[in-house]
Amino acid sequence: MKRTVLLTAALATAVALATAGARASDDDGRRFADMPPRAQWMSIADLAAKLEAQGYTVREIDTEDGVYEVEMTDANGMRVEAYLHPVTGEPLRRQSSDD
C-alpha cells in the first residue's frame, strides 16, 4: 500500500513538473511566433559568411525560440551575442525573460 502511494505521488510530481516546463517553453515560443517556416531560413553557412564579411569571427550559431543565436567576436576582439532573423540575418531586439 505504501509503495503504491509513493509511486502515485512520484508520478503526480513528475507530471506537474513536466507541465510547468511545457508552459514555460510555450511562452518562449510565442515571443517569436511570427517567424517564417524553417524551409525559408538562411542556411547557417550563408549566415556565417555574411557575418564574417562584416568583420566578425563566428564562434557558434544555434537556434533559440525560432531565431538564430550567434556568439561571435568583433574586429576588436570583443565578444558579441546576437539574435538574428532567420531569413534576413538582421539583428532582432529581444526582450529578456524579466520584462
Side-chain angles (χ1 to χ4, degrees), residues 7-95:
L7 183 59
T8 303
L11 182 60
T13 302
V15 169
L17 290 173
T19 304
R23 275 191 227 126
S25 176
D26 288 346
D27 182 44
D28 291 340
R30 279 181 285 198
R31 196 174 310 152
F32 296 109
D34 60 334
M35 289 299 152
R38 185 74 183 220
Q40 297 176 7
W41 286 24
M42 176 184 292
S43 72
I44 291 176
D46 289 343
L47 180 61
K50 178 179 180 171
L51 294 169
E52 288 170 357
Q54 295 174 1
Y56 293 100
T57 301
V58 177
R59 300 170 51 94
E60 183 178 346
I61 298 177
D62 201 1
T63 58
E64 182 177 307
D65 298 333
V67 300
Y68 282 124
E69 177 184 14
V70 182
E71 294 179 20
M72 55 195 158
T73 307
D74 69 10
N76 298 322
M78 186 155 209
R79 287 186 172 191
V80 178
E81 183 177 341
Y83 296 93
L84 306 177
H85 191 280
V87 175
T88 65
E90 296 300 314
L92 295 170
R93 182 166 183 250
R94 180 182 169 118
Q95 296 178 348

